[in-house]
């Protein structure tokens, strides 16, 4: 299939404005952005308690098991990026492999995950930042915290618009601070466990904790539903593919290595937290981030607890910025192929970034954040729970698209069959299973942050299905309004781009 200079299929129109800045960042910067997009410290704070509540001491094993579908899907991202270096990633690839209808829905899911989570991340960044400097009263003041969170979103959006290079520099600083604080916490906690100076019910770590089946099948299922969340976001590196050096391979490699680095980080901190605090404390405080990375930070670090609080704050701050990237780049990709209003495809003439789509993502995210906070104290948490539906959907769609797109080459070698066929399909199957399990779990009205129901339905399920329905309605409306995108046809991989083959000479 003929490709244009951006890895497209020749059917998208050229931008009147300058395109995204090529070679703006390198592999390491892309890796850092992929890591920060997952918000490791915040993800651990939010999830370690609930995972321990269902899996006990085998929480590290559940986090290890959650890594498997992520690695398989990361491989799909790598191989699909090799044939199409489009910042729309899943949207563009699924359109190529499975047609415009499926591609549009994949793009919608990516964009809406950003809208749902950006406000929460900014809120956490503000709250833990205030706690780190001893301003506990302001951290508990909702009007003050929400105002500061909005300002954080606006500031991080401005950084994204000013340029990819500046975004990368900010991310470098934030990841260094975050990793340093997390490792310091883990080292001190493990030292105190083995020294017998833990102030809680310490348990000496064991390699048996890595057994994901140790707590039983039901516990593994529940833990996996939570575990997928802590890895989500690594693909932001691939959304920058048009702006990364060696765009055909570097972004995909950054995505894969992001998942590996995250695994090491999560297992290290997971062993430290479970070993120091024991399962009772963590299970009793499940869902209370402050209890784990505020109270526990004080227990482990004493007067240096501000380091851990600052790690969570910088983690959420970094992710606030990087979560804007995939949503805005996907909207840009959809708009320049006429799947959304073409105004969203505008590239700033000086900064060479998608300024219109970036600001639109920020404005909608702010509106969502303020609106759900007015509904109830738990509505924001319920919207985050609904994220698992969208995440599982577009990850699974990407894995399936990889096998479909390369379908004529799967039997050419064992490597092809495993890496671009079986692996992505297994990853997609696992995530589809988790999606079904999530829907089943959320179908119970009491399974929400506040144990309440909206219209007789669990709020997370209502939010997730509501977003899906709105997406289908917008898609159908735009299909009638402008049908050019729906004229695109599915394709198969160019043999010259199949793994293990060498490109043919021109």
């Amino acid at each position: 299939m003929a490709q244009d200079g951006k890895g497209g299929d020749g059917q998208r129109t050229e931008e009147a404005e300058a395109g995204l800045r090529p070679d703006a960042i390198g592999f390491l910067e892309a890796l850092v952005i992929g890591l920060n997009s997952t918000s490791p410290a915040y993800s651990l704070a939010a999830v370690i308690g609930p995972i321990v509540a269902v899996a006990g001491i085998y929480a590290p094993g559940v986090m290890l098991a959650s890594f498997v579908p992520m690695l398989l899907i990361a491989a799909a991202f790598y191989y699909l990026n090799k044939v199409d270096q489009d910042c729309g990633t899943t949207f563009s690839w699924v359109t190529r492999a499975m047609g415009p209808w499926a591609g549009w829905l994949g793009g919608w899911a990516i964009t809406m995950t950003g809208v749902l989570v950006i406000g929460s991340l900014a809120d956490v960044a503000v709250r833990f930042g205030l706690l780190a400097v001893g301003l506990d009263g302001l951290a508990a003041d909702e009007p003050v915290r929400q105002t500061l969170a909005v300002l954080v979103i606006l500031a991080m959006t401005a950084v994204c618009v000013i340029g990819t290079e500046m975004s990368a520099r900010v991310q470098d600083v934030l990841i260094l601070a975050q990793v340093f604080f997390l490792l310091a916490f883990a080292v001190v906690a493990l030292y105190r466990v083995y020294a017998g100076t833990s102030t809680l019910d310490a348990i000496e770590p064991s390699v048996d904790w890595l057994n994901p089946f140790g707590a039983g099948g039901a516990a593994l299922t529940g833990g996996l539903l939570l575990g997928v969340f802590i890895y989500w976001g690594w693909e932001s590196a691939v959304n920058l593919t048009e702006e990364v050096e060696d765009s055909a391979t570097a972004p995909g490699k950054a995505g894969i290595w992001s998942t590996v680095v995250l695994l090491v980080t999560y297992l290290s901190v997971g062993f430290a937290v479970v070993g120091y605090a024991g399962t009772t404390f963590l299970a009793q405080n499940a869902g209370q981030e402050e209890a784990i990375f505020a109270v526990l930070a004080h227990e482990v670090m004493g007067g240096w607890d501000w380091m851990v609080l600052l790690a969570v704050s910088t983690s959420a701050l970094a992710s606030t910025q990087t979560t804007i990237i995939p949503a805005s780049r996907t909207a840009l990709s959809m708009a320049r192929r006429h799947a959304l209003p073409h105004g969203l495809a505008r590239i700033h003439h000086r900064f060479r970034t998608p300024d219109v789509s970036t600001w639109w993502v920020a404005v909608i995210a702010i509106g969502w954040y303020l609106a759900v906070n007015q509904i109830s104290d738990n509505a924001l948490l319920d919207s985050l729970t609904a994220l698992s539906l969208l995440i599982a959907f577009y990850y699974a769609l990407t894995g399936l698209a990889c096998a479909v797109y390369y379908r004529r080459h799967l039997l050419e070698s064992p490597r092809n069959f495993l890496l671009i066929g079986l692996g992505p399909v297994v990853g997609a199957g696992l995530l589809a299973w988790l999606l079904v399990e999530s829907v089943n779990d959320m179908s119970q009205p009491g399974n929400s942050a506040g144990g309440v129901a909206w219209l007789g339905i669990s709020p997370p399920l209502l939010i997730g299905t509501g977003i899906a329905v709105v997406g289908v309605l917008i898609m159908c409306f735009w299909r009638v309004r402008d049908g050019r995108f729906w004229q695109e046809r599915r394709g198969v991989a160019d043999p010259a781009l199949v793994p293990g083959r060498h490109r043919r000479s021109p």
Side-chain angles (χ1 to χ4, degrees):
M1 181 178 293
Q3 294 187 25
D4 58 24
K6 295 176 182 176
D9 53 15
Q11 293 178 307
R12 64 192 69 158
T13 60
E14 293 294 329
E15 287 301 308
E17 307 260 358
L20 296 170
R21 188 184 301 278
D23 301 332
I25 59 175
F27 168 80
L28 288 178
E29 289 85 359
L31 175 63
V32 166
I33 288 175
L35 289 173
N36 270 331
S37 294
T38 64
S39 191
Y42 165 64
S43 296
L44 280 168
V47 170
I48 189 67
I51 289 180
V52 171
V54 298
I57 60 174
Y58 299 102
V62 170
M63 289 190 283
L64 175 61
S66 302
F67 165 75
V68 174
M70 290 300 101
L71 180 63
L72 296 175
I73 297 302
F77 269 76
Y78 172 77
Y79 286 113
L80 286 169
N81 183 70
K82 291 190 70 172
V83 295
D84 188 359
Q85 296 88 58
D86 189 297
C87 65
T89 61
T90 293
F91 159 72
S92 181
W93 303 332
V94 174
T95 298
R96 274 176 171 267
M98 303 168 68
W101 294 95
W104 199 99
L105 290 174
W108 173 256
I110 294 176
T111 304
M112 292 310 297
T113 54
V115 168
L116 288 178
V117 80
I118 287 171
S120 174
L121 291 167
D123 187 280
V124 170
V126 169
R127 183 165 72 250
F128 278 82
L130 293 172
L131 290 172
V133 295
L135 299 176
D136 296 25
L138 290 179
D141 190 316
E142 289 194 13
V144 170
R145 194 177 68 246
Q146 290 176 21
T147 300
L148 291 175
V150 170
L151 293 176
V152 164
I153 295 173
L154 294 175
M156 292 297 99
T157 303
V159 170
C160 289
V161 170
I162 289 174
T164 305
E165 299 98 322
M166 181 176 180
S167 296
R169 287 195 293 269
V170 171
Q171 292 298 314
D172 288 342
V173 174
L174 293 176
I175 194 65
L176 286 174
Q178 183 180 168
V179 170
F180 173 79
F181 292 144
L182 278 177
L183 290 178
F185 171 79
V187 169
V188 172
L190 288 172
Y191 170 79
R192 296 191 62 181
V193 169
Y194 285 106
T197 60
S198 172
T199 57
L200 298 173
D201 297 325
I203 307 172
E204 188 168 314
S206 169
V207 70
D208 291 339
W209 294 4
L210 291 176
N211 178 13
F213 302 99
L220 176 60
T221 301
L224 285 173
L225 293 174
L226 295 166
V228 167
F229 170 77
I230 65 178
Y231 289 99
W232 168 66
W234 51 265
E235 76 276 11
S236 291
V238 191
N239 285 102
L240 292 171
T241 184
E242 297 179 32
E243 301 155 89
V244 179
E245 298 173 1
D246 188 15
S247 61
T249 58
K253 289 179 180 177
I256 291 174
W257 278 106
S258 293
T259 63
V260 175
V261 173
L262 288 169
L263 173 66
V264 174
T265 303
Y266 290 153
L267 291 184
S268 299
V269 177
F271 268 96
V273 169
V274 176
Y276 186 93
T279 57
T280 302
F281 172 85
L282 296 174
Q284 288 177 345
N285 293 283
Q288 301 294 323
E289 305 100 285
E290 297 90 342
I292 295 176
F293 271 40
V295 176
L296 186 56
H298 180 72
E299 295 286 342
V300 175
M301 306 293 287
W304 294 88
D305 58 344
W306 58 269
M307 294 176 63
V308 181
L309 298 175
L310 196 58
V312 177
S313 179
T314 56
S315 173
L317 183 64
S319 194
T320 301
Q321 179 197 335
T322 53
T323 302
I324 296 171
I325 291 173
S328 63
R329 264 57 175 185
T330 300
L332 163 67
S333 180
M334 295 178 74
R336 68 187 180 190
R337 290 169 71 165
H338 307 288
L340 285 177
H342 198 62
L344 294 172
R346 199 190 88 148
I347 304 294
H348 194 281
H349 69 281
R350 176 185 174 188
F351 301 129
R352 307 278 294 274
T353 56
D355 57 334
V356 174
S357 63
T358 302
W359 283 114
W360 265 109
V361 168
V363 169
I364 297 173
I366 290 172
W368 178 266
Y369 167 68
L370 295 177
V372 295
N373 270 297
Q374 299 305 312
I375 296 174
S376 73
D377 293 337
N378 298 307
L380 188 60
L381 292 175
D382 286 329
S383 70
L384 293 182
T385 304
L387 272 178
S388 63
L389 302 176
L390 300 178
I391 295 169
F393 172 72
Y394 80 80
Y395 274 172
L397 202 59
T398 306
L400 185 60
C402 182
V404 171
Y405 188 71
Y406 282 107
R407 61 189 178 275
R408 295 182 181 175
H409 307 282
L410 297 181
L411 300 180
E412 291 181 353
S413 70
R415 179 188 179 190
N416 284 5
F417 180 74
L418 292 174
L419 296 183
I420 60 179
L422 182 61
V425 169
V426 170
L430 288 172
L431 289 166
W433 168 67
L434 290 174
L435 175 61
V436 172
E437 289 294 326
S438 294
V439 171
N440 181 61
D441 183 60
M442 293 179 190
S443 65
Q444 307 302 318
N447 288 346
S448 66
V452 299
W454 297 347
L455 304 177
I457 303 174
S458 173
L461 183 58
L462 185 62
I463 293 171
T465 54
I467 288 174
V469 170
V470 170
V472 170
L473 292 177
I474 293 176
M475 178 176 62
C476 293
F477 167 78
W478 198 252
R479 170 66 178 84
V480 174
R481 177 75 179 272
D482 186 344
R484 283 176 288 180
F485 168 67
W486 281 266
Q487 296 173 5
E488 296 194 13
R489 295 292 181 264
R490 292 182 293 175
V492 295
D494 184 336
L497 299 175
V498 175
R501 288 174 177 250
H502 296 289
R503 290 178 181 270
R504 295 189 298 265
S505 300

